[in-house]
Amino acid sequence: MSKTALITGITGQDGAYLAEYLIKKGYIVHGIKRRSSLFNTDRIDHLYQAPTVENRNLILHYGDLTDSMNLTRIIGEVKPDEIYNLAAMSHVKVSFDTPEYTANADGLGTLRILEAVRLLELAKKTRIYQASTSELYGLVQEIPQKETTPFYPRSPYAVAKLYAYWITVNYREAYGMHASNGILFNHESPQRGETFVTRKVTRAVSRIALGMQKNIFLGNLSSKRDWGHAKDYVRAMYLILQQDQPDDYVIATGVTTTIRDFVSMAFSEIGATIEFRGSGVDEKGYLTGVERARFDTMVGGDYYEPFAARIGEVVVGVSKDYFRPTEVELLIGDSTKARTRLNWTPQYDLKGLCNDMMVSDIKLMKRETYLKDGGYRIMNYFE
Ligand code: NAP
Ligand code: GDD
């Protein structure tokens, strides 16, 4: 018998990778997606099956974490073996602009799922994964951060996720539910949302290489993150729910890097070197060189001359618009517990992750140039 999983946030980065992973394992996957005025299923289009297909292994439901009745109905109909609660307003800076909504979706949304499972008397059947976050550590009280490190959230997002973390623990203890928190450190991929810093950088560096934009403006270049690959991290989510006992686990690489160094890494993927000069909002990144062979391999010889002509120019700037009212300066995780108990080890290091994102974005941006040049019509003609 196939297992049934319900994924909230299936249209997001992690939801898409997890759906693919579980389908490959033979699961029937149900996903909750929000209604949107434009298609928002790009990340799962390759998995989509129309309702007319018999024996589907991917079934989508309209829903929203702010709507209890909708969640209760879907959970009651699907009666999943596993729920992965990945849906959230997940952008830390945006949470300062939409704090009430963030609390509702990210905090109370988790309660709605737990309570629906309890009221539907599925507590003994349905295992629950809660997408907790290293943002809980915020103003870090210990380096590196592990499961026992005290929390100190620094944004409306992190405070909402703090509620979600503890309500998950409480339902586990109060009702014996198999409910677990994955305390995941930052994880990225070619599918990462465009406004998170790594993707913003890999997209911009690709566009700068192709002559589509002159420079990129960022915020705090000195904050440090422990970045892993989303493909490795969804594997950890699955493993957490396969354990006999529910528990909470830190998932991290144990390596931390500044935003500034990530920018340099992205440029080095195309053979370019950058030098940062100045400080605070006056800091700038100058293009200081480019290695032709690497550039030609990664980007293409046609683009080399115009790019090399820019040596000496500013390609990275800082804007106060991208700073947060309160910042999380340093994250670095100790995932010993997950590595020993779950036998989880990441396969990607940061260089591999950055390469994966750069290769994908260069390809994507070339397609964008092609579309701008009228390629879209040509493509439609042939499709
Ligand atoms: P993401 O790409 O932003 O995806 C978020 C998903 O949640 C999207 O499918 C989004 O739908 C959906 N969503 C947002 N608000 C919703 C609502 N009110 N009702 C129903 N669905 C809603 O995030 P991600 O990077 O995949 O992260 C997955 C989860 O892990 C999130 O809970 C995030 O907070 C948490 N997390 C992420 C990281 C990380 O580094 N990526 C680290 C730790 C924890 P639309 O597509 O319609 O917007
Ligand atoms: N987004 C963004 N844009 N961040 C910037 C920029 C910029 O232009 N410039 C500097 N940064 C800095 C931020 O100030 C932060 O210190 C760091 O880059 C990472 O920012 P994000 O990529 O937006 O991620 P995050 O760490 O705030 O949050 C992500 O990871 C959390 C796990 O720690 C999100 O995925 C959260 O949902 C997740 O919980």
Side-chain angles (χ1 to χ4, degrees), residues 51 159 278 319 339:
V159 174
S319 162
R339 287 172 197 246

Side-chain angles (χ1 to χ4, degrees), residues 90-93 133-135 157 161 184-188 192 195-198 200 217-221 223-225 227 259 322-324 327-328 331:
S90 71
H91 202 283
V92 173
K93 179 150 192 299
T133 164
S134 50
E135 281 291 304
Y157 166 78
K161 285 282 188 176
L184 271 52
F185 282 61
N186 298 51
H187 45 279
E188 322 291 310
R192 184 58 147 154
T195 59
F196 296 98
V197 76
T198 54
K200 181 171 167 181
F217 284 92
L218 294 164
N220 182 1
L221 295 176
S223 62
K224 291 179 152 185
R225 288 293 181 275
W227 282 298
I259 310 304
Y322 300 115
F323 283 78
R324 287 135 195 224
E327 175 63 284
V328 173
L331 290 174

Side-chain angles (χ1 to χ4, degrees), residues 113-131:
I113 288 176
L114 291 160
E115 187 63 355
V117 169
R118 187 176 81 88
L119 294 178
L120 291 162
E121 296 182 352
L122 292 170
K124 292 281 168 269
K125 171 185 167 76
T126 304
R127 298 181 173 195
I128 300 172
Y129 172 88
Q130 168 56 20

